[in-house]
Amino acid sequence: MGALQGKIAWVTGAGTGIGQAAAVALAQEGATVVLTGRREAPLAATAATIAKDGGKAVVKAGDLTSATAVAAIAADIEKTFGRLDILVNNAGLNIVERSWQQLKPEGVDTVIQGNLSSAFYCVTAVLPMMRKQKDGVLIHTASMAGRVVSPLSGTAYTAAKHAVVAMSHSLNMEECINGIRSCVVCPGEVATPILDKRPVPVSQEDRAKMVQSEDCGDLIRYIACLPAHVCINEVHITPTWNRGYVAGLQQAHVGAGKK
Ligand SMILES: NC(=O)c1ccc[n+]([C@@H]2O[C@H](COP(=O)([O-])OP(=O)(O)OC[C@H]3O[C@@H](n4cnc5c(N)ncnc54)[C@H](OP(=O)(O)O)[C@@H]3O)[C@@H](O)[C@H]2O)c1
C-alpha cells in the first residue's frame, strides 16, 4: 500500500512539467490527486496517465490568478472529499521581456499575479481546511531565482520567487501550532516547457543535462510522505552540470590565461 493511501492532494500546474510529474508521483503513492491548470487538455492527459497506472485523479481547470476561481476549486475539494492533505503550489510562468529595459506594467502584472498572487490565493483557500484537520503539507515551487538575483530569469520573476520563498517560511512561523508544514522547493534549471519562453533558445543537448521533471516529482513525493512531525523548510535542487557555474569557470580560466 502506498504511503499516501487515503490522502487528498491538489497539484497546480499539473498539465505539464514539474506539476505533471508531481501529480503522477503522488498518485503512485496512493493519493487522490486534484489537477489544476488553465488548459483542460494537458490536465486530461495527466489524469489519463494516472488512471492507466491504476491511480485516482480529478481535473479541476481554472485560472489561479482569479481569487474567486481558486476559492471555488478549494470549496469543491472540501465538498467532494471533506479534506485536503497536500497542496503542491506549483503553477507559474515567465515572460520573454525580462530586463528593466524591456519590462512593461502588463508584464509585471502577468509575472507577479502568475507566480505570487496565485500562490497566496491557493494557500489562503486551503488553510482553513488544514487548520480544522490540524494537519497539512504545503509544497511550493519557487526557484533558485528566489534565492539568487541574476539577469537570467528576469527582474519580475526573481522578485516574485523571492516572495514565494518568504511566504513559505512565514507559513511555518505561524501555522506550526496547527500541525501545518510548509516546504519551498527551489529548482535550478529543469527541462520543462517553461524554457520555451527564454529569450535565448535552450538547445536539446543542454536540456538533456538539466534536472528532469520526474526528479522534481520524486522530491515532492518524498516531502509529502514525511511523517507529520518532520518539516523540510527549503530544498535546492539543481543540475550537476550547472550552466551558471560552468560559465563562471570558463570566465575564471579565461582570466587565468590572461595573467
Ligand atoms: N523549469 C525550470 O527551469 C524551473 C526552474 C525553477 C522554478 N520553476 C517553477 O516550476 C513551476 C512549474 O513550472 P515548469 O517548469 O514545470 O513549467 P511549465 O511546464 O510551463 O508548467 C507551468 C504550469 O503552470 C500552469 N499555469 C501557469 N499559469 C497558470 C494560471 N494562471 N492558472 C493555472 N495554471 C497556470 C501551466 O498550465 P496552463 O498554461 O494550462 O495554465 C503549466 O502547466 C513554476 O512555478 C516555475 O516557475 C521552473
Side-chain angles (χ1 to χ4, degrees), residues 199-217:
V200 179
V202 184
S203 70
Q204 286 308 323
E205 195 189 345
D206 276 350
R207 288 181 199 229
K209 289 184 192 155
M210 291 177 181
V211 173
Q212 303 299 308
S213 297
E214 293 70 23
D215 303 319
C216 293

Side-chain angles (χ1 to χ4, degrees), residues 157-181:
Y157 183 89
T158 302
K161 292 300 192 184
H162 269 71
V164 172
V165 172
M167 177 189 78
S168 181
H169 289 291
S170 73
L171 277 160
N172 283 326
M173 284 174 181
E174 231 178 283
E175 297 296 337
C176 61
I177 52 168
N178 292 318
I180 296 168
R181 299 168 280 152

Side-chain angles (χ1 to χ4, degrees), residues 19 26 60-61 87-88 97 99 112 128 132 135 149 170 191 198-199 202 245-246:
L26 296 178
K60 297 274 170 220
L87 168 68
V88 181
E97 302 77 18
S99 69
I112 301 294
K132 250 192 264 168
D135 188 31
V149 179
S170 73
R198 283 278 173 87
V202 184
Y245 294 166
V246 173

Side-chain angles (χ1 to χ4, degrees), residues 13-19 36-39 42 62-65 90-93 114-115 141-144 157 161 187-195 198:
T16 58
I18 297 169
T36 296
R38 288 165 300 186
R39 291 165 296 157
D63 184 347
L64 301 168
T65 63
N90 164 80
L93 48 76
N115 291 285
T141 313
S143 172
M144 283 308 292
Y157 183 89
K161 292 300 192 184
E189 291 189 305
V190 187
T192 74
I194 207 172
L195 298 184
R198 283 278 173 87

